[in-house]
Amino acid sequence: MISKITLLGIAIFYASIAFAQHRAPWVVPESAKEKKNLYSPDESSLARGKKSYITECVRCHGKEGKGDGSSAMKIEKTVADLSSDNVQNQTDGELFWKISEGRKPMPLAKTTLTDDQRWDVINYIRTFRKK
Ligand code: HEC
């Protein structure tokens, strides 16, 4: 028979793995950071970016990117504030990689948005930068 102590040990073991994953830094490959956004943030790029943002991102990240979308409450992880310096100080290449790959519970966008659409979304989320 498995003792209560053993079960407790197993529970603590899995809880600590979950905790570690939660806190793990989101590492982007060096080569991806250098990738350049070929689309200038002109009116049409921003309009396209906004459209994709509304369909794919707003439910979690919220209208102004603050992480307060309608689904944010249901998520066990804190939804990133896209207007924060932490996000805005990253390169376009870094954001492109993260948005493309996703990280649970954030879905990967490379299957739902084309490369062009993802670059446009990045131009759009740059408009959230705190003034
Ligand atoms: C289901 C909710 C959800 C959706 C939809 C979603 N995100 Fe996220 N996003 C998150 C969560 C949660 C995190 C934090 C993930 C982490 O740190 O592991 C995050 C993190 C990010 C980050 C990284 C922030 C950092 O810490 O570097 C960016 C950039 C981002 N999201 C942009 C987007 C964009 C753009 C879209 C739409 C294409 C999108 N997200 C869709 C929930 C979501």
Side-chain angles (χ1 to χ4, degrees):
M1 209 179 89
I2 306 169
S3 74
K4 280 184 183 154
I5 301 285
T6 312
L7 287 176
L8 186 67
I10 292 170
I12 291 172
F13 176 72
Y14 282 105
S16 55
I17 288 182
F19 186 75
Q21 281 176 344
H22 202 95
R23 293 296 161 113
W26 199 349
V27 183
V28 176
E30 284 303 319
S31 56
K33 289 184 187 174
E34 312 290 311
K35 231 176 168 181
K36 291 277 176 289
N37 187 348
L38 300 175
Y39 297 85
S40 58
D42 56 22
E43 229 173 275
S44 54
S45 169
L46 293 180
R48 288 191 304 266
K50 182 174 184 177
K51 214 169 151 194
S52 302
Y53 184 84
I54 301 280
T55 55
E56 302 298 334
C57 323
V58 78
R59 68 179 187 276
C60 292
H61 288 282
K63 258 183 132 171
E64 288 161 10
K66 297 203 189 310
D68 56 357
S70 57
S71 297
M73 301 294 275
K74 292 179 232 146
I75 288 173
E76 72 278 14
K77 231 178 192 178
T78 307
V79 177
D81 178 353
L82 302 180
S83 72
S84 66
D85 289 344
N86 172 48
V87 170
Q88 293 292 334
N89 290 342
Q90 296 180 44
T91 64
D92 281 0
E94 239 170 326
L95 297 179
F96 186 80
W97 193 85
K98 289 184 176 179
I99 293 166
S100 303
E101 302 301 324
R103 185 162 88 158
K104 271 187 182 167
M106 173 163 148
L108 49 83
K110 65 182 175 192
T111 53
T112 49
L113 299 174
T114 64
D115 285 23
D116 299 1
Q117 285 174 320
R118 277 173 279 141
W119 288 120
D120 287 330
V121 162
I122 290 167
N123 283 336
Y124 183 66
I125 67 182
R126 291 295 184 197
T127 66
F128 297 149
R129 185 191 284 274
K130 290 196 191 87
K131 306 277 159 18

